[in-house]
Amino acid sequence: MSQDSAVYEPYPEAGEVWRYLEDRFGLDRTLFGHHRLWWRRGGKPDKPIWIAHEDCAPPDGVKVDWVGLAVMRQPPPRGFPTNAFLRRFGGAATRNVVDVDWDTGLRLMYNHQIEHEPLDEKGGPYIIRAPRAVLGRGWVRKGRLILDTPKGWPNQLMPRTELAEGPERA
């Protein structure tokens, strides 16, 4: 439900989020130098945090659903980055990244799991990258790498047989 823009304010513990992103993924804080974190005042203590350019602010008196791109659905330490955030900024990550070839990436997007050892004792979240794109957030559970695939992806992707055959040529 839309909220009046007056409930949005800059996130007061932004340093904690930047520190988490730097520690977990090696995302340099300078990457976010022209960005600001926002949250919605009041309500539940576990609220989403959004990122937007520093010049962006919700206009007064306008009902809005969110400000910018969702970074986390909950603040750290319980929260972890959203797929959308990782797809936007994960290309710059230097830690806890699993780079896969395109065929493996496609299998992960179709909800298949692949054998993989955890990169650290926490077991995730990880950034999964393929040569063409950052695929999003992944986890290693019981020795298997899993991509948090948005529910609609498998239905929106072409069937694997079409991908293998390639586009028809005229």
Side-chain angles (χ1 to χ4, degrees):
M1 176 178 281
S2 296
Q3 301 281 323
D4 186 274
S5 62
V7 301
Y8 294 94
E9 62 184 29
Y11 186 63
E13 298 175 28
E16 183 180 337
V17 174
W18 302 138
R19 207 170 8 268
Y20 168 83
L21 294 170
E22 190 169 38
D23 291 347
R24 180 73 195 161
F25 302 110
L27 291 171
D28 191 327
R29 290 181 195 207
T30 59
L31 180 65
F32 309 106
H34 294 288
H35 294 81
R36 177 182 294 157
L37 297 178
W38 291 86
W39 75 322
R40 193 179 298 151
R41 233 179 324 127
K44 301 185 298 184
D46 291 338
K47 303 178 219 29
I49 300 169
W50 295 275
I51 188 171
H53 190 273
E54 65 187 354
D55 294 337
C56 176
D60 292 337
V62 175
K63 292 186 182 235
V64 294
D65 290 321
W66 60 80
V67 179
L69 176 70
V71 176
M72 300 176 146
R73 304 242 182 265
Q74 302 178 49
R78 290 185 56 216
F80 44 83
T82 65
N83 268 313
F85 175 80
L86 292 178
R87 282 192 297 271
R88 167 61 181 86
F89 292 101
T94 59
R95 283 196 289 277
N96 291 309
V97 175
V98 178
D99 287 307
V100 297
D101 60 40
W102 189 242
D103 287 337
T104 302
L106 281 174
R107 287 197 311 272
L108 289 167
M109 288 190 292
Y110 276 99
N111 289 319
H112 295 153
Q113 301 174 10
I114 60 170
E115 289 185 31
H116 201 283
E117 292 301 314
L119 299 177
D120 66 3
E121 69 281 351
K122 295 179 183 179
Y126 299 119
I127 295 173
I128 301 178
R129 293 189 300 212
R132 298 181 192 174
V134 175
L135 302 179
R137 184 182 59 232
W139 306 89
V140 173
R141 302 248 162 71
K142 298 180 183 176
R144 310 288 290 171
L145 179 63
I146 304 163
L147 174 65
D148 276 347
T149 306
K151 291 177 184 174
W153 269 17
N155 295 333
Q156 294 172 359
L157 295 171
M158 292 183 288
R160 290 199 65 152
T161 55
E162 289 179 32
L163 287 171
E165 295 169 6
E168 291 185 24
R169 298 178 190 243

